[in-house]
Every structure is written in C-alpha cells, then in structure tokens.
Amino acid sequence: MAKGEIVLGCLAPHPPHVVYAENPEQNEAFSEGGWETLRWGYNRLARKLKTIDYDAMVIFTPHWQTYIGTHFLGLPEFKSKSVDPVFPNIFRFNYDISVDVDLAEKMCEVAGEFGIVTKMMRNPDFRIDYGTITSCHMLNPDWDKPLVTISSNRNAHYYSAEVMNEQASALGEACARAIEESGKKVVLISSHSLSHRHFVTESPLPEDMSREHIYNHSQYVWDMKLVDLMRSGKMREVIDIMPEFTEQTIAETEGGGLTWMMAAMRYPNYPAEIYGYQSVIGTGNLIAAWDPMEATREIVL
Amino acid sequence: MTEPEILFGIYCPPHPQPLLSPEASDGYGKLRDAYETCRKRIEESEADLILVYSTTWPSIIGHQIQAHPEPEWVHVDDDFHFLGSMPYKFRMDVEFADAFKNAAESRGLQSRTIEYDGFPIDTGSVVALKLLNPDNRIPACIVSSNMYANRAETIVLGKSARDAIQEQGKKAVVVVVSSLSNRMFTEHIDPSEDRIHSAKDDEWNRKILEFFDDGRLEDLSQLSREIHGQIRVQKVVAYKPAWWMSATMGQHNNYTGEVLAYEALHGSGGAVVILTPASESVGDKEFDEDDVEHYHGDRGVLDKGML
C-alpha cells in the first residue's frame, strides 16, 4: 500500500453567516447576501479542491469542545439539523454527512500511542457542530467526500496557550502518521477565525454590510501580522508566536486547530495561498491554504 | 410597591451523571437524591414558574431567553456522550420570556427571545429541568449566560428577571445551574473513584457551602471575583452565577440555606443547595462596589484623556 498523504491544508473559518449568505437549500434562514469577500474566496478554494484527488476531509473544530481528551466521530453517518446556539436566527442547517470511520479509528489509535487521551464518539444522537458544517459546506457544497471530525480539547482553558500549542502539535504529528499508515489522500481543515472578539449586538438585518468591521484596530494589526508571515512561508514562526497572538486577540486559535494542522504538515516553509480576509460580527476571518505541491501552488491574492 | 414573589432558589450542577448514571457512584446517587428532594419541594410549593440561569448556555448577542412553547430534541453531551442520550420535551412560559426580554431591554441590556425548532438546549438546563420538573407540571424559562458579561451586566440581568416576575405576578422558583469548582480530570476515570480535583478546590467549595448554609447569598455575590480567581477554570471572564442569583432574589443574606449534597463530578464540585427567603440576616461584610440599576454598555475610556 502506498503511503497516505496530506494533499492540502485549509484554514477555513466557520462564522455561520457565510452559509446564511449563500442561501443553500439545507439552511432554513434566508438572506440577501453579505460577506462576499469571504464567500468568493471560499468559492475559489472550493473550485481548487475539485481539481484535487483526495479521499477524505479531516476537520478540527473548536465547536466540539471536550475537556476529557480528544474525541473523534465514530459512526458512518449522521443526519439531523444543526442549529447555531449563538446565531439561531441565521443558521438552522439540515445535514446528511458520511464519516470515514476507518481513518478516524486509525487517528484515535495512533494518537493514543502518542500518549494523548482519546475517545471515539459512537452515540447516534450526537449532533454535528456548526463549525464542522460551515467549513465543510463552504469548501465542498456537494458534500461528496467523507469526513473525520476531531474535537478540540481545551488545554488553553485548563492550562495555558503554551500547553495548547504543545498538545495540538503532538496531535498533529499523530494524525500525520495515521494518514501515512492509512494510505489515503487527505485534505486537512482547521476551522476557526483569527482574532475573535465579537460585537455583542447585531443589526436588524445581519447581512447589512454597512455595519460590519473589525472589533478594533489592534485585532486587525495582529491578524495582518499573521497573514504576512503566512505569505512568507514562515509557519514555524506563526506557531511560535501563537500563544501571544491567542492571548492578545482572544483568538479562536485557542482551540489548537492551526497548530494541529501545521504540525501535521511539518510546518510549511512555502507561501500560503491567501483567498480572503474579512470581519464577521467583529471577528477576523482568513481563508488560506497550504499546497505541498509546488506545481499547483498559486498566488491567489 | 410589592416585592416579587420568589419562593426559593436552587443551585445545582450541570453535569449529566446524576441524570444518566446515578448508580455509577455513591456521590452521583446522593446528588440525584438531592435533586429529588428539590423536585418534591417544588411540587409542594405554589410555584407557577421555574426560571433557569444556565452557565452551560453561552451567548454572544446579549442575553438569549428560550421562548419556544415546547422545545423538543434528543440531546447528547459533548464530553459525556458515552453515558447516553437525553431526550426532552419541555413546557416554556412564552409570556414570561417576552416579559423578561422587555424588562432586560428597559434596563439597557441587549436581549432576544429564541423560538426555533431544534434549538440546542444545553446540558445543564436539560439535566435540571428533567430532574426538577420531570412532568412539565410547571412552565419554565431559561436564560443564557453571555460570555462577555461581567458584574454590572449580570446584576442588571438579575434585576430584569426580578422585574418580570413582579410584573407578571408569578410565584417563581429560581434555578442556577453551575458547578462550584469546575476543573474536571482530563482523563477518563472510574466513577467510583471520583473525587474533587484538588484539596484547594475542595477547601474553597466547602467555604462557599458554609456561606450557602448560612444563607449568605449576597456575600457570595460580593466574593464572586475571588471565587473566579481561586477555583474557576478561566473559560469566561467571571464567575457570574452568584451575581445573577443574588440580584434576582433580592441582594441580601436573609435566607435559610440547605446544602442537600456536595459531591465530585469528574473532579469538579457539584452541590445541590436550596435557599429559602427568611427574616434574619447574617454576615459581617461591607462592600464598596456600586449597585447597578441600568446597564450603559462599555464606558468608552480608550479615546479619553488622549494627548
């Protein structure tokens, strides 16, 4: 069997607003649009994914929060409705997803060998979180690839952002080995915003773009610092400053997603493809991708 | 003006073990028995509303209030999914939810009611309502805990609840769903070997329970910042349940306190407490933080005093 490989890594923020703005038939709410910079960036990255040969998407989501280890979805199908607990007015999504259970079990097994506390989730009533659904829908609206969803263990809450960085790195290395041993071609998805301070009020029309801006300039400057490093291919440096960035901007990187993905991809030293940056209800959201194949790597923006 | 009629308050933990696996340890069984005592106490009262503040329902856009008349789903906990599913169908007091939202807005808060099929009611609320009001005999209302809210906002939210109870002429039981210390073990454990995560957490929990036992709710409210620093995992900006509970129940120490159970829940501190309004106050503390009546939002200090 050929060694498995990571064919693309995607930073894919999950504000439900972007799904709401797309008006897919699965979502009950209706919008007049909005957040085009993000959505068009997502659309372009989704087109690139259509050109890539892969077997499964592996997504690390901060909205399945676990405190007792790292959990993996462990049943082949989940069909239900996901309602965002924070923005139920815009996200009530009927989903029908398939899971690559073999790959999930392999990751769970190898992570256990790395000393990471793990658990397979096999309750059929479990509801899939809106982070998983938003990122996966925007990257693959046809939903024609199986997923592996990995919970985010909240080490940043229990210990510190430094411990989160260490633990997420270990998990990334374990997942990379599991992928290699599986023989599969995999797309990794790190589902989160960068800076993550929200406005606590919402305009009567959520998609009123005249009201949308970053929460404050400090958040923006930090976000741009990371974008610059990503453009320069300095992902080791990004992960090194991750604790500081996370604390300064109360960033959603606290869940460990970007650290996990970069560790799994051996900290790329090539430029990230930048697909778009825009605020959503004050938070900073970047769509980016890391393509290990130099021949297909692009300068997008 | 007459005082709102709050029959008593209950402080109880959000973890699912007392509902799903009470037989797994003596401690979980004692917590379940304590819930049962509360259930009977509610049944014997003349309550016509159960008002729940849940720390496991975080919100961002202000304060969300459940207003679906009959929310129904099968809930599964993110961590403890292996303990089983929690099917529920509750009866909500929609009229009260609307009144609560209006009262909150009148005091300057951002608030909205939530009434969507399939909305994910949180583990803590599901556990509390299924154990305290299993037959839906009494209509309920649930309010979220805004993740950015601090003391002023939370106290004003409590006062808004009080306004709504008074305006509606309800006889309410106030339920706060929250752990004491909330650090769980980060490994899977044998439930029969469950214990409080550390001696420090245990000492602080017992001190808090002394205050509860003496009926010193307002004193606990005033100690919230200290409690947050000492025994709360820093997930949110502050330990808010005592602020909300005291503000809702009248900001005093005149209660008869009953600590019905105190046990470990995967390392965190779980206590079931009843506070019944009484006539005598206790306590020897003086406080200097302002009492807040109206929420004015951020003070906007960043652009003041600039050269």
Side-chain angles (χ1 to χ4, degrees):
Chain A
M1 184 171 67
K3 266 175 62 171
E5 61 181 319
I6 297 163
V7 296
L8 195 71
C10 305
L11 174 58
H14 58 248
H17 305 68
V18 290
V19 167
Y20 165 68
E22 291 275 296
N23 286 317
E25 62 181 13
Q26 298 99 320
N27 197 26
E28 292 176 359
F30 177 78
S31 78
E32 294 177 9
W35 303 280
E36 280 74 16
T37 304
L38 282 178
R39 290 196 290 122
W40 294 346
Y42 256 128
N43 297 159
R44 178 158 181 188
L45 181 51
R47 289 197 295 273
K48 177 181 175 97
L49 274 167
K50 283 289 182 197
T51 69
I52 295 174
D53 176 29
Y54 66 101
D55 302 303
M57 292 175 144
V58 178
I59 181 165
F60 185 106
T61 175
H63 288 288
W64 179 11
Q65 300 190 3
T66 53
Y67 290 87
I68 310 164
T70 297
H71 300 216
F72 299 81
L73 284 186
L75 290 172
E77 289 180 352
F78 290 89
K79 184 176 182 179
S80 186
K81 179 161 73 171
S82 181
V83 179
D84 184 337
V86 175
F87 302 104
N89 50 324
I90 63 172
F91 190 87
R92 304 184 300 279
F93 191 97
N94 295 286
Y95 62 85
D96 184 357
I97 70 167
S98 59
V99 174
D100 187 334
V101 178
D102 290 342
L103 184 57
E105 287 177 339
K106 187 70 184 169
M107 288 182 169
C108 186
E109 175 196 326
V110 176
E113 291 168 5
F114 271 61
I116 296 166
V117 176
T118 58
K119 189 88 177 171
M120 293 298 294
M121 203 305 298
R122 301 195 197 275
N123 187 324
D125 297 323
F126 187 80
R127 183 142 54 168
I128 307 303
D129 69 284
Y130 70 92
T132 294
I133 292 170
T134 297
S135 295
C136 290
H137 180 82
M138 295 305 292
L139 290 172
N140 179 28
D142 294 334
W143 290 93
D144 56 358
K145 298 286 184 182
L147 309 180
V148 171
T149 293
I150 306 175
S151 78
S152 60
N153 183 270
R154 312 309 281 187
N155 287 295
H157 289 165
Y158 266 33
Y159 304 103
S160 66
E162 285 80 3
V163 173
M164 171 278 292
N165 235 17
E166 293 297 319
Q167 297 267 357
S169 298
L171 182 65
E173 291 167 24
C175 288
R177 182 184 295 178
I179 289 166
E180 285 175 8
E181 293 179 8
S182 75
K184 292 181 176 173
K185 293 179 177 173
V186 168
V187 171
L188 298 188
I189 303 168
S190 180
S191 170
H192 55 83
S193 308
L194 294 180
S195 65
H196 203 230
R197 183 58 164 92
H198 302 81
F199 294 115
V200 294
T201 59
E202 187 177 56
S203 59
L205 188 69
E207 60 268 38
D208 178 352
M209 290 295 99
S210 70
R211 305 280 287 271
E212 188 62 77
H213 60 87
I214 194 76
Y215 189 84
N216 64 36
H217 187 62
S218 171
Q219 305 285 75
Y220 167 79
V221 170
W222 262 108
D223 286 347
M224 287 305 112
K225 169 73 176 171
L226 257 65
V227 172
D228 286 345
L229 290 170
M230 291 176 186
R231 279 189 199 283
S232 308
K234 295 180 178 174
M235 290 315 298
R236 181 73 254 185
E237 192 172 337
V238 168
I239 301 308
D240 285 345
I241 65 169
M242 188 57 66
E244 181 74 6
F245 169 72
T246 300
E247 288 180 12
Q248 291 287 334
T249 67
I250 54 172
E252 210 173 19
T253 48
E254 69 163 2
L258 190 60
T259 306
W260 160 80
M261 187 166 75
M262 290 300 104
M265 298 184 78
R266 310 309 199 262
Y267 306 99
N269 58 4
Y270 49 81
E273 297 174 345
I274 303 297
Y275 286 85
Y277 173 86
Q278 190 173 21
S279 70
V280 178
I281 199 154
T283 64
N285 296 276
L286 173 71
I287 301 168
W290 288 262
D291 185 346
M293 297 291 292
E294 193 171 356
T296 53
R297 195 179 305 146
E298 303 170 77
I299 297 174
V300 180
L301 291 174
Chain B
M1 185 186 282
T2 57
E3 289 286 298
E5 197 160 359
I6 294 170
L7 303 180
F8 53 92
I10 295 171
Y11 190 101
C12 56
H15 300 73
Q17 286 86 344
L19 175 68
L20 295 176
S21 60
E23 73 295 337
S25 83
D26 287 348
Y28 304 164
K30 286 176 185 168
L31 287 166
R32 176 63 172 263
D33 291 345
Y35 272 109
E36 181 65 11
T37 300
C38 293
R39 181 192 68 76
K40 287 180 186 159
R41 203 71 71 82
I42 293 171
E43 208 167 281
E44 291 161 6
S45 76
E46 295 177 345
D48 52 16
L49 173 70
I50 297 175
L51 174 56
V52 178
Y53 172 90
S54 177
T55 54
T56 53
W57 180 12
S59 60
I60 290 173
I61 306 298
H63 305 276
Q64 299 192 145
I65 300 167
Q66 181 57 247
H68 192 297
E70 286 192 324
E72 184 174 11
W73 201 258
V74 179
H75 177 68
V76 177
D77 187 71
D78 278 358
D79 258 311
F80 298 107
H81 43 78
F82 53 90
L83 293 180
S85 306
M86 294 174 260
Y88 65 79
K89 184 173 184 180
F90 297 132
R91 180 159 71 102
M92 294 291 145
D93 188 332
V94 177
E95 202 176 317
F96 179 80
D98 288 336
F100 189 0
K101 185 204 78 154
N102 293 337
E105 289 177 344
S106 297
R107 285 183 178 266
L109 296 171
Q110 172 84 22
S111 183
R112 67 180 176 194
T113 53
I114 297 297
E115 41 190 318
Y116 300 104
D117 288 342
F119 181 86
I121 294 183
D122 60 289
T123 296
S125 297
V126 171
V127 169
L129 286 176
K130 280 185 74 82
L131 291 176
L132 297 174
N133 190 36
D135 302 323
N136 289 316
R137 201 174 61 83
I138 300 167
C141 180
I142 310 170
V143 63
S144 69
S145 176
N146 184 290
M147 60 183 290
Y148 295 115
N150 214 306
R151 179 177 177 273
E153 193 169 351
T154 306
I155 285 175
V156 172
L157 181 67
K159 290 184 177 182
S160 306
R162 198 171 167 77
D163 294 343
I165 292 167
Q166 185 171 34
E167 191 251 332
Q168 293 263 301
K170 297 286 184 184
K171 294 177 180 171
V173 172
V174 168
V175 177
V176 163
V177 184
S178 174
S179 310
L180 298 176
S181 63
N182 64 341
R183 181 172 289 273
M184 295 194 294
F185 291 110
T186 53
E187 298 176 343
H188 299 282
I189 62 167
D190 179 344
S192 67
E193 295 174 1
D194 205 347
R195 60 179 173 79
I196 300 296
H197 190 276
S198 69
K200 181 187 176 189
D201 282 359
D202 190 38
E203 280 184 25
W204 266 96
N205 290 339
R206 290 180 189 280
K207 177 56 70 180
I208 293 167
L209 292 174
E210 275 181 35
F211 276 66
F212 269 131
D213 197 46
D214 288 341
R216 298 169 64 178
L217 178 58
E218 177 58 16
D219 284 354
L220 278 175
S221 170
Q222 297 285 347
L223 288 170
S224 283
R225 295 191 202 282
E226 184 68 18
I227 292 168
H228 188 65
Q230 293 288 349
I231 56 165
R232 297 289 290 184
V233 170
Q234 309 290 298
K235 297 186 223 176
V236 292
V237 296
Y239 169 71
K240 294 172 260 202
W243 283 332
W244 186 85
M245 190 175 197
S246 186
T248 303
M249 292 186 68
Q251 293 179 295
H252 56 76
N253 289 325
N254 306 351
Y255 303 98
T256 299
E258 299 169 81
V259 177
L260 301 178
Y262 164 55
E263 300 291 340
L265 285 161
H266 208 93
S268 69
V272 178
V273 177
I274 296 179
L275 290 173
T276 306
S279 56
E280 291 186 6
S281 183
V282 294
D284 54 5
K285 299 194 180 307
E286 292 181 357
F287 307 107
D288 63 359
E289 287 198 83
D290 278 350
D291 188 19
V292 197
E293 296 296 334
H294 195 274
Y295 186 63
H296 299 282
D298 294 338
R299 290 171 57 195
V301 297
L302 294 178
D303 58 352
K304 289 183 180 171
M306 297 174 75
L307 294 174

